[in-house]
């Protein structure tokens, strides 16, 4: 099955005129090339909880607005989305799924679904550690100048700024 899948990928790439390079899975790249795509400054409403569920503690954080900007995109975050979190306090791990829409300055609506994890632990020396990463997926109109968002993988990490009532997410496109 694996050989069939690899063959199909190479054939599809060839049909599109792309020279597909087969990589040895044992050769782990030192880093994946990424480029900055945009920064989201998301404003949030008051969080509320559904309490302890069969999956963990469910918390919902309303997304009330904000702005975003990157080299090829700029606009506002539309009120009405939310960040849905499920926390397992026994292992200090939270899974998140934020679902919302953004609107570009030229009036194009784009759907965003951002999934990730937040966890805290201690390193080998007993020092506290904090990990927060997510992978946003964008749905832009296929006939728009933002269609490039549909055909790439993205990663994001938060940055915290004094005085801003919300969360700032820096988003990179994996090349």
């Amino acid at each position: 099955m694996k050989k069939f899948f690899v063959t199909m990928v190479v054939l599809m790439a060839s049909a599109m005129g792309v020279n597909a390079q087969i990589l040895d899975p044992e050769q782990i790249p030192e880093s994946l090339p990424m480029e900055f795509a945009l920064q989201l400054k998301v404003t949030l409403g008051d969080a509320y909880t559904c309490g302890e569920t069969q999956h963990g503690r469910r918390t919902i954080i309303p997304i009330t607005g904000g702005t975003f900007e990157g080299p090829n995109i700029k606009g506002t975050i539309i009120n009405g989305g939310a960040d849905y979190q499920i926390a397992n306090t026994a292992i200090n791990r939270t899974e998140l799924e934020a679902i919302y829409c953004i609107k570009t300055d030229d009036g194009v609506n784009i759907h965003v679904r951002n999934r990730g994890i937040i966890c805290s632990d201690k390193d080998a020396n007993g020092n506290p550690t904090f990990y927060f990463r997510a992978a946003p997926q964008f749905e832009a109109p296929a006939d728009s100048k933002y269609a490039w968002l549909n055909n790439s993988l993205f990663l994001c990490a938060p940055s915290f700024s004094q005085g801003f009532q919300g969360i700032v997410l820096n988003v990179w496109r994996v090349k």
Side-chain angles (χ1 to χ4, degrees):
M1 186 68 166
K2 179 180 172 186
K3 186 176 181 180
F4 172 77
F5 178 74
V6 170
T7 302
M8 291 305 298
V9 169
V10 170
L11 287 173
M12 288 184 338
S14 178
M16 293 187 293
V18 176
N19 183 14
Q21 178 184 9
I22 298 175
L23 300 175
D24 180 355
E26 300 299 319
Q27 294 179 338
I28 300 171
E30 288 192 30
S31 68
L32 291 173
M34 293 196 284
E35 67 183 2
F36 177 73
L38 63 137
Q39 181 181 73
L40 298 131
K41 293 182 178 176
V42 185
T43 58
L44 305 170
D46 293 334
Y48 58 95
T49 182
C50 297
E52 289 295 327
T53 72
Q54 71 273 26
H55 301 292
R57 183 170 184 80
R58 171 67 68 185
T59 301
I60 298 94
I61 306 168
I63 295 173
T64 60
T67 60
F68 65 91
E69 186 170 356
N72 300 310
I73 192 167
K74 182 178 182 181
T76 58
I77 299 164
I78 299 172
N79 179 25
D83 182 355
Y84 302 92
Q85 300 185 359
I86 193 82
N88 182 333
T89 55
I91 59 172
N92 296 323
R93 184 176 193 275
T94 300
E95 294 181 15
L96 65 91
E97 182 176 24
I99 302 170
Y100 56 100
C101 289
I102 61 178
K103 186 173 192 166
T104 63
D105 279 356
D106 56 348
V108 177
N109 293 322
I110 299 169
H111 182 263
V112 183
R113 181 179 295 256
N114 194 8
R115 294 183 179 141
I117 61 171
I118 303 168
C119 59
S120 58
D121 205 352
K122 295 195 187 272
D123 65 17
N125 298 322
N127 297 317
T129 62
F130 178 74
Y131 184 87
F132 180 165
R133 298 291 184 270
Q137 290 181 294
F138 298 91
E139 286 182 43
D143 62 349
S144 74
K145 69 181 184 180
Y146 306 105
W148 60 274
L149 291 165
N150 300 329
N151 300 315
S152 293
L153 294 177
F154 296 86
L155 296 173
C156 74
S159 63
F160 301 96
S161 74
Q162 294 276 1
F164 180 70
Q165 299 294 346
I167 187 164
V168 177
L169 296 171
N170 295 306
V171 179
W172 296 271
R173 184 179 77 88
V174 180
K175 293 167 86 176

